[in-house]
Amino acid sequence: MKELTIAAEIENIPAVTEFVDAELEECGCPMKTQMQIDIAIDELFGNIARYAYDPGTGDATVRVDVKENPAAVEITFIDGGVPYDPLKKADPDVTLSADEREIGGLGIFMVKKSMDNIAYEYRDGKNILSITKNI
């Protein structure tokens, strides 16, 4: 397992993506899967950067754990911000046009649809959100 702790700021999304991608490339992750994970990183780390510490700032830790049998990667995002479980938000009604839908929720919906598992817990004053993608 590899871990990166970095300031939860929008401008650090590329650094987080690069960190995770290095692990994915090392384990021979297919490009399509890597792109799905990169989109999830953008959404999840972006949400931490925008909302977890608002109006202040703080750090986030990103852990990458490559598993075997079955081959999968688990990426965990940990922050000490405001408790927030994105999985409790109702999925948007994607049958409605963009103009008719409520703002928000589409990003986490896309993450839920593209990952094989997503889990959230609040423990010891930390938000812990894990995504798993089979490779």
Side-chain angles (χ1 to χ4, degrees):
M1 175 175 31
K2 299 272 177 98
E3 185 174 290
L4 171 71
T5 299
I6 193 166
E9 298 171 353
I10 294 294
E11 48 273 2
N12 284 334
I13 292 173
V16 172
T17 303
E18 191 175 299
F19 166 73
V20 173
D21 284 352
E23 293 303 306
L24 297 176
E25 289 166 13
E26 192 172 300
C27 73
C29 181
M31 186 52 67
K32 178 182 177 191
T33 302
Q34 184 174 329
M35 288 171 49
Q36 290 173 322
I37 291 170
D38 288 353
I39 291 168
I41 291 167
D42 189 82
E43 175 63 24
L44 299 174
F45 191 84
N47 281 350
I48 293 168
R50 284 182 198 91
Y51 307 117
Y53 298 102
D54 191 32
T57 60
D59 289 338
T61 299
V62 180
R63 291 185 184 146
V64 181
D65 190 12
V66 178
K67 302 181 179 287
E68 297 176 15
N69 234 357
V73 63
E74 181 180 46
I75 302 163
T76 304
F77 299 84
I78 304 166
D79 70 80
V82 177
Y84 178 69
D85 181 353
L87 304 181
K88 286 189 175 175
K89 183 163 177 54
D91 290 341
D93 184 349
V94 293
T95 63
L96 298 174
S97 72
D99 291 336
E100 296 174 307
R101 273 196 309 262
E102 284 186 37
I103 294 174
L106 194 56
I108 193 70
F109 175 74
M110 289 172 32
V111 172
K112 290 193 301 194
K113 291 295 182 193
S114 65
M115 296 296 114
D116 293 298
N117 189 46
I118 184 165
Y120 170 85
E121 68 175 312
Y122 186 78
R123 183 174 21 120
D124 301 327
K126 304 278 187 199
N127 291 295
I128 304 167
L129 182 71
S130 297
I131 57 173
T132 304
K133 182 70 177 170
N134 295 331
I135 51 176

